[in-house]
Amino acid sequence: MPRRTMSAAAAILVGVVATLTFASPAAAAGTCYTTTTLPDYTIPMFTVTVPSAGSTAASTTCYMALGANSNAVKRLQTTLNRCYGQALVVDGDFGTKTKAALKVAQGMNWLLTVDGEYGPKTRDGITWDNGINATTGRWDCAWVDGPGGLQHP
């Protein structure tokens, strides 16, 4: 029986396809891996911490989806629990429950696409917890106005 061999071009093609197949989920999971605290320019001492890709306000323009695992995901999960009444385990794993909870939050703002993925539009369209209100004893939540600061609802 003749021995079959793969051409060099076919071998390269198989390698490229395999690399793309295995690299896509990790790349698709997200670019947010840490958090950044943004100041409230209208009310002193109020801040909000949001997912980011670095330590500057501009780095809050990042992305997360299924498969992401980071402190940024923990921050999102905490906000979904405190501002949207979800009951997520804050474990930093962006799984199906986090995606479903994010869809609930996105669905409360008609300007957002309800896709369960986090990006700049979701950052600006959902409210973020910024501490316990001294008067009510409840978590206070505020909107982020782009990467530059907060707006209180």
Side-chain angles (χ1 to χ4, degrees), residues 77-137:
Q77 290 169 328
T78 299
T79 275
L80 292 170
N81 287 344
R82 292 177 179 169
C83 296
Y84 293 93
Q86 300 300 301
L88 296 169
V89 173
V90 179
D91 59 3
D93 180 30
F94 198 122
T96 55
K97 290 180 181 178
T98 299
K99 181 176 180 172
L102 184 55
K103 283 182 171 184
V104 168
Q106 289 172 328
M108 297 176 94
N109 182 330
W110 63 274
L111 295 174
L112 294 177
T113 300
V114 180
D115 59 7
E117 296 179 3
Y118 176 87
K121 288 183 180 179
T122 297
R123 175 202 61 211
D124 296 349
I126 66 172
T127 58
W128 296 89
D129 75 277
N130 64 339
I132 296 177
N133 183 309
T135 304
T136 65

Side-chain angles (χ1 to χ4, degrees), residues 14-26:
V14 168
V16 168
V17 170
T19 300
L20 290 175
T21 302
F22 294 113
S24 293

Side-chain angles (χ1 to χ4, degrees), residues 57-74:
S59 67
T60 64
T61 300
C62 56
Y63 175 80
M64 293 185 292
L66 279 175
N69 192 300
S70 66
N71 284 332
V73 176
K74 285 183 180 180

